[in-house]
Amino acid sequence: MMYRWHAGYVAWLMNRISGVLITFYLVLHIWVIHHLSHGPETYKKVMDILSSKIFMFFELALIGVVLYHMMNGIRIILVDFGNAVWSHKTVFWVLMAIGIVLYVICVWELAGGFLGLIHHEASAMQIAP
Amino acid sequence: MMERIFRIFRFNPETDKEPYYDTFTIEVQDTWTILDGLNAIKWHHDGTLSYRRSCRHGICGSCAMMINGKNDLACEKQISSVKGEITVEPLKGFPVTRDLMVDQTHFFEGLRLVKPWLINHTAPPTDKERLQTPEDRKLLDGTWECILCGACTSSCPAFWDNDSFLGPAALLKAYRYICDTRDEGLDERIGILDSKVGVWRCHTIFNCVEACPKDLNPTNAIVQLRRRLIQEKL
């Protein structure tokens, strides 16, 4: 059941969804950390899986999800302790714009890292006999 | 006069297994409200159509209903302001008793819990009313205008999830008295406001602000109550 689409409802719904996704990530993160105790070989195997392209994509998605949750969290703090209860829609869109800029910066940085990794792999393959 | 189509939610729990929609094409005047349209249908087309109405001046709150997906007062909403087919449904979140009428028992029970009346332990002056400064009186603006139509509480997902939640209307009414400089009843209200069904259950979704036909901001009242409770606790 829903009432109407508007910034406040969208913000709340996405906050819920992003919260659930971050919880899933936390479980995955604990799973990865857990393999630290199984020695370097096992840990390397897990890290090889996590270095795959699909996980790189997940990593980019994770940054978006965390950034959204963070920006909306700031919005809720501003509603509860600031004056945003009268301008919550404007505050939402301004924070989303800042979030998008931060996301682009993060992706830019990460993409550089990924490209570097791919380049490194390609170089390694060329060197290999 | 022009023709308009009304698509109306119908449900009689005594005879119908499922709700359904009835369509009526009626002649309306430019100046008619949705309530005028419903009256025309009831008086000239189908006398079994059930809905609440009383004052026709947007002050009693009886005729709150969902008009084309938005909560509104049928007596204030002009037919000319609605384009195309006019869909009229009962307020969401309340059990439907019949057609457009809903059972608001929980809504009014929640309201009673916040003691929506002035609590003052000193006797009033014998020669005059309890006076306020204009500045103190101004604090009440945006709270006293609530007509308890239930449009806000009906739109609240926290209320849908748990109808024991006081809801935005009762909390707005609580704030109306707590921010009144003549009131001394915070101690009597703080228990229910600070409970599981009180201010902390609000998720600041702002549906109540979207739904209020009087353009009030119940979320602001809830935020102000939260700040007051924090001050009291600290």
Side-chain angles (χ1 to χ4, degrees), chain B residues 19-36:
Chain B
Y20 62 97
Y21 287 83
D22 252 351
T23 303
F24 300 92
T25 304
I26 60 166
E27 291 276 322
V28 303
Q29 291 180 19
D30 287 347
T31 54
W32 277 16
T33 63
I34 298 293
L35 182 60
D36 292 320

Side-chain angles (χ1 to χ4, degrees), chain B residues 178 186 223-233:
Chain B
I178 285 169
L186 180 61
V223 165
Q224 298 303 331
L225 285 172
R226 283 174 175 174
R227 290 179 190 175
R228 192 68 190 271
L229 292 187
I230 291 169
Q231 283 172 4
E232 289 295 315
K233 293 267 173 181

Side-chain angles (χ1 to χ4, degrees), chain A residues 1-16 72 75-76 79-80 84-85 88-89 92, chain B residues 152 155-161 165 168 199-211 217-220 222-223 226:
Chain A
M1 192 156 79
M2 72 166 285
Y3 178 62
R4 287 167 74 87
W5 290 106
H6 62 92
Y9 181 74
V10 171
W12 169 76
L13 191 65
M14 284 171 60
N15 205 60
R16 280 289 160 110
N72 194 54
R75 173 180 159 271
I76 293 169
V79 166
D80 271 335
V85 73
H88 75 100
K89 288 184 183 176
F92 175 72
Chain B
C152 58
S155 72
C156 175
F159 181 77
W160 301 340
D161 179 49
F165 172 44
V199 292
W200 311 110
R201 195 165 276 277
C202 166
H203 293 282
T204 51
I205 300 168
F206 288 93
N207 272 6
C208 53
V209 180
E210 296 288 316
N217 190 329
T219 309
N220 177 55
I222 295 169
V223 165
R226 283 174 175 174

Side-chain angles (χ1 to χ4, degrees), chain B residues 6 32-41 43 51-57 63 65 67 73-77 79:
Chain B
F6 279 71
W32 277 16
T33 63
I34 298 293
L35 182 60
D36 292 320
L38 292 176
N39 286 340
I41 292 166
W43 296 339
Y51 51 95
R52 286 203 184 94
R53 83 276 188 276
S54 183
C55 76
R56 286 185 60 193
H57 288 82
C63 65
M65 50 189 76
I67 300 158
L73 298 176
C75 70
E76 281 193 335
K77 186 78 176 170
I79 290 176

Side-chain angles (χ1 to χ4, degrees), chain B residues 21-234:
Chain B
Y21 287 83
D22 252 351
T23 303
F24 300 92
T25 304
I26 60 166
E27 291 276 322
V28 303
Q29 291 180 19
D30 287 347
T31 54
W32 277 16
T33 63
I34 298 293
L35 182 60
D36 292 320
L38 292 176
N39 286 340
I41 292 166
K42 184 170 178 72
W43 296 339
H44 305 297
H45 296 269
D46 184 349
T48 66
L49 177 65
S50 301
Y51 51 95
R52 286 203 184 94
R53 83 276 188 276
S54 183
C55 76
R56 286 185 60 193
H57 288 82
I59 204 67
C60 74
S62 306
C63 65
M65 50 189 76
M66 192 176 246
I67 300 158
N68 274 14
K70 178 169 186 335
N71 289 355
D72 243 312
L73 298 176
C75 70
E76 281 193 335
K77 186 78 176 170
Q78 293 284 315
I79 290 176
S80 58
S81 71
V82 183
K83 286 178 184 164
E85 199 175 78
I86 302 162
T87 301
V88 189
E89 296 163 299
L91 289 177
K92 280 185 177 177
F94 299 118
V96 175
T97 47
R98 185 161 168 168
D99 297 340
L100 303 173
M101 297 198 306
V102 291
D103 179 359
Q104 293 180 311
T105 307
H106 279 287
F107 173 76
F108 285 107
E109 277 174 356
L111 181 68
R112 272 183 217 105
L113 289 174
V114 302
K115 303 189 177 181
W117 52 80
L118 189 83
I119 299 174
N120 191 303
H121 305 299
T122 51
T126 50
D127 58 336
K128 59 187 178 207
E129 298 161 343
R130 295 178 196 272
L131 296 179
Q132 280 188 299
T133 63
E135 291 75 29
D136 286 346
R137 164 61 189 78
K138 209 169 180 345
L139 295 174
L140 305 179
D141 285 343
T143 62
W144 63 266
E145 298 94 329
C146 172
I147 58 171
L148 294 171
C149 65
C152 58
T153 301
S154 149
S155 72
C156 175
F159 181 77
W160 301 340
D161 179 49
N162 179 352
D163 66 2
S164 297
F165 172 44
L166 296 174
L171 293 171
L172 178 68
K173 205 51 107 174
Y175 180 61
R176 180 257 172 268
Y177 287 97
I178 285 169
C179 75
D180 191 323
T181 51
R182 299 164 297 183
D183 190 88
E184 298 170 350
L186 180 61
D187 290 347
E188 292 184 36
R189 299 188 184 99
I190 200 166
I192 190 73
L193 294 176
D194 195 21
S195 71
K196 283 183 179 175
V197 297
V199 292
W200 311 110
R201 195 165 276 277
C202 166
H203 293 282
T204 51
I205 300 168
F206 288 93
N207 272 6
C208 53
V209 180
E210 296 288 316
C212 179
K214 294 294 178 186
D215 295 330
L216 303 179
N217 190 329
T219 309
N220 177 55
I222 295 169
V223 165
Q224 298 303 331
L225 285 172
R226 283 174 175 174
R227 290 179 190 175
R228 192 68 190 271
L229 292 187
I230 291 169
Q231 283 172 4
E232 289 295 315
K233 293 267 173 181
L234 291 178

